[in-house]
Amino acid sequence: MVDAYKGVLILAEQNEGELHPISYELLNVGRTIADKLGTELWAVLLSPNRCAAEELIYRGASKVFFYQSPSFGHPDEIVYKENLVTLVNEEKPEVLLIGGTNFGRSLAPRLQAALHTGLTADCTGFDVNEDGKLIQIRPACSGTLLAQIVNARYPQMATVRYKEFDEAPRDPGREGTIVQKQADVPNFTGVKTLGKLKSKEVDITEAEVVVSGGRGLKDSTDFALLKELADLLGGVVGSSRPLVDEGWIDRSHQVGYSGNRVKPKLYIACGISGAPNHLAGMKESAVVVAINTDPSAPIFKVADYGIVGDLYEVVPELIDQIKEGQG
């Protein structure tokens, strides 16, 4: 029975016909798993248009199962689930990976229940044991521990944390197969899209520069100081969890295990001690600058540059230096 399952299948997520970057990250980690298992890497794309099916081939998929329907133009988990259950039952992949996005986290448990299999959420690593089973690694206890999980049933399902892995490299010379599939669209799924709300804020997970504040801030209005620095650097403002819980700033700005995971080119931590919850969300940043009055603060252990000092003195000085350099 187990021998009937072969291949690693990733869900290529799209939004209004544009591929989400998580798709390329899944192809990267999927390729590593497929090579260890000695099997093929596949992708499934459900889209209102042709989108970038060929791009999935260039990024490593040997086969792309492509479903086209206007119904895939908005996030209806029920429509996706019905089509994916049929595909999985037909192709029987041994591993199924879905991005840990808002949509992926909503779709995955529905798919898991319909397939009567297991599901490990928010994975940050994978390995294969001597029996050829997938070891799924995810943070536990607010990121202080790493749990290793093996699913007994097939397909072995997991959601993968966004920005945990690099995107798969692009090779326009790669060849593969695109398999056109017939979309199954129910007349009504119980889900109706009334409209789309657009946030006025830049998506913090996509920012290349993040300037975050922690308990070192004295008042909610002091985020204006951090925003001035962030604006000068072309970045956005982030926050540790306590200030979000206090209502000082919207939760969309929260960085950490229970908030957003960011991976900017530059992360400036202002008055943040460096609790495990927060470090889990930003420690993969390319360059980390920490500003804190406590020289023993844990944030300095992950910082590339550390400034022991009062943020109310250091940040204004940084602002002045940048303005002077731009003048």
Side-chain angles (χ1 to χ4, degrees):
M1 184 67 178
V2 173
D3 293 338
Y5 291 88
K6 297 292 181 183
V8 175
L9 177 66
I10 70 103
L11 172 63
E13 185 175 331
Q14 56 79 30
N15 183 21
E16 297 181 347
E18 294 291 332
L19 279 177
H20 191 292
I22 189 67
S23 304
Y24 303 137
E25 296 175 21
L26 291 176
L27 285 171
N28 186 15
V29 67
R31 167 53 57 199
T32 301
I33 295 171
D35 288 347
K36 289 184 177 181
L37 292 172
T39 191
E40 293 186 347
L41 173 63
W42 306 327
V44 54
L45 173 63
L46 303 93
S47 175
N49 54 38
R50 182 78 178 185
C51 195
E54 292 83 2
E55 188 68 20
L56 298 172
I57 298 290
Y58 300 155
R59 299 281 187 149
S62 60
K63 185 184 296 183
V64 176
F65 300 100
F66 176 56
Y67 295 78
Q68 184 171 354
S69 169
S71 297
F72 301 131
H74 56 273
D76 187 331
E77 295 91 337
I78 307 303
V79 176
Y80 274 73
K81 184 205 73 174
E82 294 300 323
N83 286 273
L84 290 172
V85 166
T86 300
L87 177 67
V88 170
N89 287 332
E90 289 176 351
E91 300 298 329
K92 290 183 166 50
E94 56 185 307
V95 175
L96 174 57
L97 302 179
I98 297 174
T101 59
N102 289 336
F103 179 69
R105 288 170 175 165
S106 179
L107 170 66
R110 290 175 167 83
L111 193 55
Q112 172 259 327
L115 293 170
H116 305 289
T117 187
L119 171 65
T120 304
D122 235 16
C123 290
T124 58
F126 296 92
D127 203 350
V128 175
N129 66 17
E130 57 187 13
D131 296 323
K133 300 280 285 186
L134 183 67
I135 300 174
Q136 300 158 74
I137 303 168
R138 71 177 307 277
C141 300
S142 297
T144 57
L145 297 175
L146 289 177
Q148 297 190 4
I149 301 169
V150 176
N151 289 338
R153 297 184 177 183
Y154 287 81
Q156 301 167 94
M157 275 187 65
T159 59
V160 181
R161 185 179 291 185
Y162 183 33
K163 287 188 175 292
E164 187 66 37
F165 300 92
D166 293 332
E167 294 184 1
R170 186 176 192 271
D171 179 3
R174 286 194 84 262
E175 296 182 355
T177 304
I178 297 176
V179 181
Q180 184 80 42
K181 304 290 286 187
Q182 181 64 43
D184 180 14
V185 181
N187 291 329
F188 182 59
T189 64
V191 177
K192 184 178 181 180
T193 301
L194 301 178
K196 183 177 179 181
L197 298 177
K198 291 187 177 181
S199 171
K200 295 180 181 179
E201 297 289 341
V202 176
D203 184 356
I204 193 172
T205 63
E206 300 294 338
E208 294 191 348
V209 177
V210 177
V211 180
S212 283
R215 287 187 181 276
L217 288 180
K218 299 174 182 178
D219 190 87
S220 61
T221 59
D222 294 339
F223 270 111
L225 179 64
L226 304 191
K227 187 177 187 306
E228 184 177 1
L229 177 59
D231 288 345
L232 286 171
L233 296 172
V236 299
V237 172
S239 174
S240 62
R241 178 175 176 173
L243 303 191
V244 172
D245 290 344
E246 289 290 333
W248 285 17
I249 193 168
D250 186 77
R251 191 166 296 277
S252 62
H253 293 267
Q254 183 180 329
V255 175
Y257 179 75
S258 56
N260 296 292
R261 187 178 186 280
V262 298
K263 198 175 181 180
K265 293 180 179 179
L266 173 62
Y267 188 88
I268 303 178
C270 305
I272 295 175
S273 63
N277 182 296
H278 188 80
L279 296 182
M282 47 65 67
K283 62 183 179 181
E284 297 300 324
S285 303
V287 176
V288 176
V289 176
I291 304 169
N292 202 293
T293 56
D294 180 6
S296 64
I299 190 70
F300 288 122
K301 294 181 180 179
V302 300
D304 298 283
Y305 301 95
I307 303 174
V308 178
D310 187 340
L311 73 88
Y312 290 95
E313 297 177 359
V314 176
V315 173
E317 180 64 24
L318 288 175
I319 291 172
D320 289 343
Q321 292 290 335
I322 294 171
K323 286 181 176 179
E324 184 177 334
Q326 293 177 345

